[in-house]
Amino acid sequence: MSSLRFSVVYQTEPGSNCSAYVPDFPGCVSTGQTLAEVKVNIRGAIEGHVQVMREFGDPIPEPSTVVDVVELA
């Protein structure tokens, strides 16, 4: 089986939890108290999402989201 690479968006708010979501999988989100924790949690969420899709015979979408950073001076 080949590997798939999905873009993940991480958000942090000072004094609050961190969160993450996967644009290619609507509804696939996770939270954590730290960025490290949310990275572990979102991996589990993606794995679970894919597992359920396979169990129901749903096609796994090809990764299509591209993430970039725009730097302003």
Side-chain angles (χ1 to χ4, degrees):
M1 177 191 332
S2 64
S3 65
L4 299 173
R5 296 171 51 107
F6 291 99
S7 296
V8 177
V9 178
Y10 297 98
Q11 296 175 307
T12 59
E13 291 291 328
S16 184
N17 284 348
C18 298
S19 62
Y21 68 94
V22 184
D24 288 323
F25 291 132
C28 188
V29 300
S30 190
T31 62
Q33 291 185 349
T34 65
L35 183 58
E37 183 179 357
V38 80
K39 284 183 177 186
V40 170
N41 293 346
I42 196 67
R43 175 177 286 280
I46 294 167
E47 289 170 345
H49 202 92
V50 169
Q51 180 181 356
V52 169
M53 291 179 80
R54 286 182 174 147
E55 287 174 4
F56 282 90
D58 296 333
I60 307 302
E62 287 294 319
S64 64
T65 301
V66 177
V67 178
D68 198 0
V69 175
V70 175
E71 185 174 340
L72 301 176

